[in-house]
Amino acid sequence: LIRSNDGRTLNDVAYALIGAHAYTRALPFARKAVQKAQSGTLTEAYATFNLGLALLELGRCRESLPLLRHALALEPPVLRPLVRPRIKQAERCSKGAASVPAQSVSSAASTGPSRAR
């Protein structure tokens, strides 16, 4: 049981679950991490990306797109190239069958979940 109100800890749990492809289980942790993360922090950026990524992997493309776009604005410039492919993926998925799980366009290592540091 996770009892932390810390966005960073919640994001770490979401990160681990996303890494294990447990996207449905990651959602509540990622949502709460976004809510609890201090505005303007890396934790907010990573949590926002992870929430968008989990939704994208569940095929909830239209929901994921605004989060991924917001994460792009929050992420440090060096990490933005990792977010852009997921935005493109969500855009393509949104135009198609949004209820079908998204197909990865690249390896999880290059555009996988973000972990708070």
Side-chain angles (χ1 to χ4, degrees):
L1 181 67
I2 305 298
R3 294 180 186 247
S4 175
N5 285 329
D6 176 9
R8 185 175 179 173
T9 301
L10 293 163
N11 185 60
D12 286 347
V13 173
Y15 171 85
L17 290 168
I18 290 168
H21 306 284
Y23 306 113
T24 301
R25 289 181 53 211
L27 278 179
F29 293 101
R31 282 189 202 286
K32 196 154 268 207
V34 169
Q35 291 172 350
K36 299 289 183 179
Q38 188 174 26
S39 182
T41 62
L42 282 176
T43 300
E44 179 190 22
Y46 296 156
T48 301
F49 176 77
N50 285 337
L51 177 55
L53 179 62
L55 289 166
L56 178 62
E57 292 296 336
L58 289 169
R60 294 166 62 177
C61 308
R62 288 189 182 105
E63 286 179 77
S64 73
L65 198 48
L67 290 160
L68 293 170
R69 287 179 176 149
H70 186 59
L72 181 66
L74 297 172
E75 292 278 1
V78 70
L79 295 178
R80 290 178 186 158
L82 302 178
V83 179
R84 285 187 186 103
R86 293 303 186 160
I87 291 172
K88 297 274 187 220
Q89 181 182 358
E91 289 170 342
R92 283 191 306 273
C93 179
S94 291
K95 291 176 185 171
S99 63
V100 176
Q103 298 298 312
S104 290
V105 292
S106 57
S107 71
S110 64
T111 59
S114 291
R115 183 165 195 168
R117 295 182 181 130

